[in-house]
mmCIF file of all heavy atoms in Angstrom:
data_model
loop_
_atom_site.group_PDB
_atom_site.id
_atom_site.type_symbol
_atom_site.label_atom_id
_atom_site.label_comp_id
_atom_site.label_asym_id
_atom_site.label_seq_id
_atom_site.Cartn_x
_atom_site.Cartn_y
_atom_site.Cartn_z
ATOM 1 N N THR A 416 10.522 -10.571 6.465
ATOM 2 C CA THR A 416 10.697 -11.746 5.610
ATOM 3 C C THR A 416 9.627 -11.846 4.639
ATOM 4 O O THR A 416 8.612 -11.081 4.668
ATOM 5 C CB THR A 416 10.790 -13.038 6.454
ATOM 6 O OG1 THR A 416 11.164 -14.148 5.646
ATOM 7 C CG2 THR A 416 9.510 -13.260 7.194
ATOM 8 N N GLY A 417 9.683 -12.813 3.726
ATOM 9 C CA GLY A 417 8.649 -13.019 2.686
ATOM 10 C C GLY A 417 9.287 -13.924 1.601
ATOM 11 O O GLY A 417 10.360 -14.501 1.827
ATOM 12 N N ILE A 418 8.564 -13.968 0.444
ATOM 13 C CA ILE A 418 9.137 -14.735 -0.696
ATOM 14 C C ILE A 418 9.036 -13.799 -1.922
ATOM 15 O O ILE A 418 8.118 -12.961 -2.012
ATOM 16 C CB ILE A 418 8.389 -16.009 -0.972
ATOM 17 C CG1 ILE A 418 6.879 -15.804 -1.203
ATOM 18 C CG2 ILE A 418 8.615 -16.978 0.205
ATOM 19 C CD1 ILE A 418 6.166 -17.007 -1.662
ATOM 20 N N ASN A 419 9.880 -14.028 -2.831
ATOM 21 C CA ASN A 419 9.836 -13.252 -4.121
ATOM 22 C C ASN A 419 10.574 -14.027 -5.214
ATOM 23 O O ASN A 419 11.157 -15.115 -4.985
ATOM 24 C CB ASN A 419 10.391 -11.885 -3.973
ATOM 25 C CG ASN A 419 11.846 -11.773 -3.582
ATOM 26 O OD1 ASN A 419 12.453 -12.714 -3.190
ATOM 27 N ND2 ASN A 419 12.445 -10.572 -3.762
ATOM 28 N N GLU A 420 10.540 -13.478 -6.449
ATOM 29 C CA GLU A 420 11.120 -14.129 -7.625
ATOM 30 C C GLU A 420 11.734 -13.050 -8.468
ATOM 31 O O GLU A 420 11.284 -11.980 -8.506
ATOM 32 C CB GLU A 420 9.989 -14.863 -8.405
ATOM 33 C CG GLU A 420 10.493 -15.625 -9.581
ATOM 34 C CD GLU A 420 9.429 -16.376 -10.269
ATOM 35 O OE1 GLU A 420 8.236 -16.161 -10.008
ATOM 36 O OE2 GLU A 420 9.702 -17.294 -11.104
ATOM 37 N N SER A 421 12.822 -13.402 -9.139
ATOM 38 C CA SER A 421 13.509 -12.455 -10.071
ATOM 39 C C SER A 421 12.573 -12.297 -11.273
ATOM 40 O O SER A 421 11.491 -12.929 -11.413
ATOM 41 C CB SER A 421 14.888 -12.973 -10.457
ATOM 42 O OG SER A 421 14.625 -14.077 -11.411
ATOM 43 N N SER A 426 11.845 -18.908 -12.734
ATOM 44 C CA SER A 426 13.085 -19.147 -11.999
ATOM 45 C C SER A 426 12.781 -19.617 -10.543
ATOM 46 O O SER A 426 13.704 -20.106 -9.926
ATOM 47 C CB SER A 426 13.927 -17.850 -11.975
ATOM 48 O OG SER A 426 13.186 -16.745 -11.373
ATOM 49 N N GLY A 427 11.532 -19.485 -10.101
ATOM 50 C CA GLY A 427 11.219 -19.980 -8.749
ATOM 51 C C GLY A 427 11.164 -18.912 -7.736
ATOM 52 O O GLY A 427 11.773 -17.867 -7.858
ATOM 53 N N GLN A 428 10.370 -19.151 -6.718
ATOM 54 C CA GLN A 428 10.166 -18.256 -5.554
ATOM 55 C C GLN A 428 11.122 -18.637 -4.404
ATOM 56 O O GLN A 428 11.270 -19.874 -4.064
ATOM 57 C CB GLN A 428 8.716 -18.257 -5.064
ATOM 58 C CG GLN A 428 7.800 -17.811 -6.160
ATOM 59 C CD GLN A 428 6.382 -18.013 -5.724
ATOM 60 O OE1 GLN A 428 5.941 -19.174 -5.557
ATOM 61 N NE2 GLN A 428 5.557 -16.967 -5.623
ATOM 62 N N PHE A 429 11.721 -17.689 -3.778
ATOM 63 C CA PHE A 429 12.715 -17.922 -2.657
ATOM 64 C C PHE A 429 12.475 -17.042 -1.509
ATOM 65 O O PHE A 429 11.932 -15.911 -1.677
ATOM 66 C CB PHE A 429 14.157 -17.676 -3.223
ATOM 67 C CG PHE A 429 14.594 -18.529 -4.351
ATOM 68 C CD1 PHE A 429 14.366 -18.195 -5.671
ATOM 69 C CD2 PHE A 429 15.218 -19.763 -4.131
ATOM 70 C CE1 PHE A 429 14.724 -18.962 -6.725
ATOM 71 C CE2 PHE A 429 15.588 -20.605 -5.152
ATOM 72 C CZ PHE A 429 15.397 -20.143 -6.481
ATOM 73 N N PRO A 430 12.736 -17.495 -0.257
ATOM 74 C CA PRO A 430 12.547 -16.637 0.895
ATOM 75 C C PRO A 430 13.618 -15.644 0.978
ATOM 76 O O PRO A 430 14.762 -15.827 0.535
ATOM 77 C CB PRO A 430 12.636 -17.615 2.084
ATOM 78 C CG PRO A 430 13.480 -18.789 1.512
ATOM 79 C CD PRO A 430 13.163 -18.897 0.013
ATOM 80 N N PHE A 431 13.358 -14.531 1.682
ATOM 81 C CA PHE A 431 14.367 -13.505 1.962
ATOM 82 C C PHE A 431 14.251 -13.124 3.431
ATOM 83 O O PHE A 431 13.178 -13.302 4.074
ATOM 84 C CB PHE A 431 14.248 -12.294 1.057
ATOM 85 C CG PHE A 431 12.905 -11.555 1.197
ATOM 86 C CD1 PHE A 431 12.710 -10.634 2.169
ATOM 87 C CD2 PHE A 431 11.851 -11.816 0.352
ATOM 88 C CE1 PHE A 431 11.504 -9.955 2.317
ATOM 89 C CE2 PHE A 431 10.621 -11.202 0.416
ATOM 90 C CZ PHE A 431 10.412 -10.241 1.441
ATOM 91 N N TYR A 432 15.344 -12.549 3.995
ATOM 92 C CA TYR A 432 15.445 -12.137 5.366
ATOM 93 C C TYR A 432 16.106 -10.792 5.520
ATOM 94 O O TYR A 432 17.136 -10.607 4.806
ATOM 95 C CB TYR A 432 16.164 -13.174 6.181
ATOM 96 C CG TYR A 432 15.662 -14.609 5.971
ATOM 97 C CD1 TYR A 432 16.403 -15.454 5.063
ATOM 98 C CD2 TYR A 432 14.525 -15.074 6.554
ATOM 99 C CE1 TYR A 432 15.884 -16.788 4.784
ATOM 100 C CE2 TYR A 432 14.057 -16.326 6.332
ATOM 101 C CZ TYR A 432 14.758 -17.191 5.421
ATOM 102 O OH TYR A 432 14.296 -18.453 5.176
ATOM 103 N N ILE A 433 15.555 -9.920 6.260
ATOM 104 C CA ILE A 433 16.111 -8.566 6.305
ATOM 105 C C ILE A 433 16.131 -8.187 7.863
ATOM 106 O O ILE A 433 15.189 -8.393 8.603
ATOM 107 C CB ILE A 433 15.207 -7.484 5.611
ATOM 108 C CG1 ILE A 433 15.035 -7.850 4.127
ATOM 109 C CG2 ILE A 433 15.848 -6.102 5.764
ATOM 110 C CD1 ILE A 433 13.970 -7.081 3.432
ATOM 111 N N PHE A 455 20.396 -7.301 3.958
ATOM 112 C CA PHE A 455 19.519 -8.136 3.142
ATOM 113 C C PHE A 455 20.105 -9.471 2.836
ATOM 114 O O PHE A 455 21.257 -9.485 2.339
ATOM 115 C CB PHE A 455 19.214 -7.359 1.830
ATOM 116 C CG PHE A 455 18.609 -6.012 1.981
ATOM 117 C CD1 PHE A 455 19.428 -4.867 2.015
ATOM 118 C CD2 PHE A 455 17.258 -5.816 2.069
ATOM 119 C CE1 PHE A 455 18.883 -3.582 2.165
ATOM 120 C CE2 PHE A 455 16.677 -4.562 2.177
ATOM 121 C CZ PHE A 455 17.497 -3.433 2.260
ATOM 122 N N PHE A 456 19.384 -10.526 3.014
ATOM 123 C CA PHE A 456 19.689 -11.872 2.613
ATOM 124 C C PHE A 456 18.598 -12.308 1.642
ATOM 125 O O PHE A 456 17.577 -12.895 2.073
ATOM 126 C CB PHE A 456 19.788 -12.794 3.777
ATOM 127 C CG PHE A 456 20.820 -12.390 4.805
ATOM 128 C CD1 PHE A 456 20.572 -11.528 5.847
ATOM 129 C CD2 PHE A 456 22.129 -13.006 4.790
ATOM 130 C CE1 PHE A 456 21.582 -11.146 6.720
ATOM 131 C CE2 PHE A 456 23.083 -12.677 5.687
ATOM 132 C CZ PHE A 456 22.826 -11.697 6.685
ATOM 133 N N SER A 457 18.773 -11.983 0.383
ATOM 134 C CA SER A 457 17.789 -12.228 -0.645
ATOM 135 C C SER A 457 18.188 -13.440 -1.467
ATOM 136 O O SER A 457 18.961 -13.353 -2.384
ATOM 137 C CB SER A 457 17.616 -10.984 -1.565
ATOM 138 O OG SER A 457 17.279 -9.831 -0.754
ATOM 139 N N ASN A 458 17.540 -14.524 -1.148
ATOM 140 C CA ASN A 458 17.965 -15.800 -1.831
ATOM 141 C C ASN A 458 17.727 -15.917 -3.324
ATOM 142 O O ASN A 458 18.330 -16.638 -4.069
ATOM 143 C CB ASN A 458 17.360 -16.998 -1.083
ATOM 144 C CG ASN A 458 17.955 -17.174 0.337
ATOM 145 O OD1 ASN A 458 19.134 -17.522 0.437
ATOM 146 N ND2 ASN A 458 17.135 -17.045 1.314
ATOM 147 N N PHE A 459 16.667 -15.083 -3.758
ATOM 148 C CA PHE A 459 16.511 -15.135 -5.271
ATOM 149 C C PHE A 459 17.706 -14.679 -6.029
ATOM 150 O O PHE A 459 17.926 -15.040 -7.163
ATOM 151 C CB PHE A 459 15.273 -14.289 -5.614
ATOM 152 C CG PHE A 459 15.480 -12.790 -5.695
ATOM 153 C CD1 PHE A 459 15.707 -12.231 -6.958
ATOM 154 C CD2 PHE A 459 15.486 -11.962 -4.608
ATOM 155 C CE1 PHE A 459 15.931 -10.892 -7.106
ATOM 156 C CE2 PHE A 459 15.658 -10.657 -4.698
ATOM 157 C CZ PHE A 459 15.892 -10.073 -5.938
ATOM 158 N N LEU A 460 18.547 -13.821 -5.390
ATOM 159 C CA LEU A 460 19.705 -13.304 -6.018
ATOM 160 C C LEU A 460 20.784 -14.416 -6.261
ATOM 161 O O LEU A 460 21.503 -14.419 -7.194
ATOM 162 C CB LEU A 460 20.348 -12.119 -5.221
ATOM 163 C CG LEU A 460 19.586 -10.815 -5.275
ATOM 164 C CD1 LEU A 460 20.354 -9.756 -4.439
ATOM 165 C CD2 LEU A 460 19.458 -10.309 -6.766
ATOM 166 N N LYS A 461 20.778 -15.358 -5.373
ATOM 167 C CA LYS A 461 21.717 -16.542 -5.470
ATOM 168 C C LYS A 461 21.417 -17.180 -6.830
ATOM 169 O O LYS A 461 22.295 -17.462 -7.677
ATOM 170 C CB LYS A 461 21.501 -17.581 -4.341
ATOM 171 C CG LYS A 461 22.065 -17.235 -3.039
ATOM 172 C CD LYS A 461 21.890 -18.420 -2.124
ATOM 173 C CE LYS A 461 22.406 -18.152 -0.751
ATOM 174 N NZ LYS A 461 22.202 -19.326 0.178
ATOM 175 N N ASP A 462 20.145 -17.474 -7.160
ATOM 176 C CA ASP A 462 19.752 -18.094 -8.351
ATOM 177 C C ASP A 462 20.004 -17.202 -9.539
ATOM 178 O O ASP A 462 20.480 -17.718 -10.628
ATOM 179 C CB ASP A 462 18.316 -18.536 -8.274
ATOM 180 C CG ASP A 462 17.895 -19.351 -9.454
ATOM 181 O OD1 ASP A 462 18.226 -20.581 -9.530
ATOM 182 O OD2 ASP A 462 17.266 -18.798 -10.384
ATOM 183 N N LEU A 463 19.768 -15.879 -9.415
ATOM 184 C CA LEU A 463 19.954 -14.975 -10.484
ATOM 185 C C LEU A 463 21.397 -14.823 -10.852
ATOM 186 O O LEU A 463 21.834 -14.730 -11.991
ATOM 187 C CB LEU A 463 19.361 -13.589 -10.184
ATOM 188 C CG LEU A 463 19.359 -12.566 -11.212
ATOM 189 C CD1 LEU A 463 18.589 -13.005 -12.463
ATOM 190 C CD2 LEU A 463 18.791 -11.237 -10.715
ATOM 191 N N ILE A 464 22.257 -14.827 -9.790
ATOM 192 C CA ILE A 464 23.707 -14.717 -10.031
ATOM 193 C C ILE A 464 24.168 -15.949 -10.788
ATOM 194 O O ILE A 464 24.923 -15.885 -11.752
ATOM 195 C CB ILE A 464 24.508 -14.566 -8.657
ATOM 196 C CG1 ILE A 464 24.141 -13.227 -8.118
ATOM 197 C CG2 ILE A 464 25.922 -14.838 -8.898
ATOM 198 C CD1 ILE A 464 24.637 -13.027 -6.663
ATOM 199 N N ARG A 465 23.786 -17.130 -10.396
ATOM 200 C CA ARG A 465 24.170 -18.411 -11.074
ATOM 201 C C ARG A 465 23.659 -18.374 -12.515
ATOM 202 O O ARG A 465 24.399 -18.735 -13.475
ATOM 203 C CB ARG A 465 23.541 -19.592 -10.344
ATOM 204 C CG ARG A 465 23.879 -20.946 -10.956
ATOM 205 C CD ARG A 465 23.109 -22.079 -10.241
ATOM 206 N NE ARG A 465 21.648 -21.832 -10.434
ATOM 207 C CZ ARG A 465 21.004 -22.166 -11.567
ATOM 208 N NH1 ARG A 465 21.745 -22.714 -12.658
ATOM 209 N NH2 ARG A 465 19.743 -21.932 -11.725
ATOM 210 N N ASP A 481 28.850 -12.633 -4.020
ATOM 211 C CA ASP A 481 28.055 -12.658 -2.828
ATOM 212 C C ASP A 481 26.646 -11.983 -3.044
ATOM 213 O O ASP A 481 26.567 -11.054 -3.781
ATOM 214 C CB ASP A 481 28.706 -11.734 -1.777
ATOM 215 C CG ASP A 481 28.153 -11.873 -0.393
ATOM 216 O OD1 ASP A 481 27.183 -12.627 -0.187
ATOM 217 O OD2 ASP A 481 28.617 -11.202 0.581
ATOM 218 N N PHE A 482 25.616 -12.672 -2.618
ATOM 219 C CA PHE A 482 24.252 -12.272 -2.828
ATOM 220 C C PHE A 482 23.773 -11.206 -1.799
ATOM 221 O O PHE A 482 22.684 -10.586 -1.902
ATOM 222 C CB PHE A 482 23.324 -13.473 -2.873
ATOM 223 C CG PHE A 482 23.073 -14.043 -1.499
ATOM 224 C CD1 PHE A 482 21.936 -13.788 -0.786
ATOM 225 C CD2 PHE A 482 24.005 -14.862 -0.891
ATOM 226 C CE1 PHE A 482 21.687 -14.392 0.451
ATOM 227 C CE2 PHE A 482 23.778 -15.474 0.286
ATOM 228 C CZ PHE A 482 22.609 -15.147 1.005
ATOM 229 N N LYS A 483 24.534 -11.099 -0.728
ATOM 230 C CA LYS A 483 24.058 -10.225 0.406
ATOM 231 C C LYS A 483 24.274 -8.757 0.029
ATOM 232 O O LYS A 483 25.128 -8.415 -0.764
ATOM 233 C CB LYS A 483 24.855 -10.510 1.675
ATOM 234 C CG LYS A 483 24.549 -11.957 2.205
ATOM 235 C CD LYS A 483 25.218 -12.175 3.530
ATOM 236 C CE LYS A 483 26.714 -12.266 3.341
ATOM 237 N NZ LYS A 483 27.148 -13.576 2.625
ATOM 238 N N ARG A 484 23.453 -7.888 0.667
ATOM 239 C CA ARG A 484 23.530 -6.500 0.465
ATOM 240 C C ARG A 484 23.334 -5.732 1.843
ATOM 241 O O ARG A 484 22.716 -6.354 2.710
ATOM 242 C CB ARG A 484 22.503 -5.957 -0.524
ATOM 243 C CG ARG A 484 22.619 -6.413 -1.935
ATOM 244 C CD ARG A 484 21.345 -6.190 -2.735
ATOM 245 N NE ARG A 484 20.194 -6.971 -2.262
ATOM 246 C CZ ARG A 484 18.936 -6.826 -2.735
ATOM 247 N NH1 ARG A 484 18.692 -5.924 -3.674
ATOM 248 N NH2 ARG A 484 18.001 -7.593 -2.266
ATOM 249 N N GLU A 546 10.464 -5.025 -5.732
ATOM 250 C CA GLU A 546 11.355 -6.175 -5.389
ATOM 251 C C GLU A 546 10.610 -7.186 -4.497
ATOM 252 O O GLU A 546 10.715 -8.422 -4.724
ATOM 253 C CB GLU A 546 12.669 -5.751 -4.720
ATOM 254 C CG GLU A 546 13.485 -6.930 -4.387
ATOM 255 C CD GLU A 546 14.776 -6.598 -3.715
ATOM 256 O OE1 GLU A 546 15.353 -5.511 -4.006
ATOM 257 O OE2 GLU A 546 15.298 -7.365 -2.861
#
Side-chain angles (χ1 to χ4, degrees):
T416 188
I418 60 172
N419 63 344
E420 183 176 13
S421 74
S426 60
Q428 297 169 300
F429 298 90
F431 61 84
Y432 311 98
I433 304 169
F455 302 91
F456 298 85
S457 302
N458 288 296
F459 82 96
L460 286 180
K461 284 184 180 180
D462 186 76
L463 184 61
I464 289 169
R465 180 190 61 82
D481 192 359
F482 72 101
K483 296 184 290 293
R484 296 167 292 176
E546 179 180 326

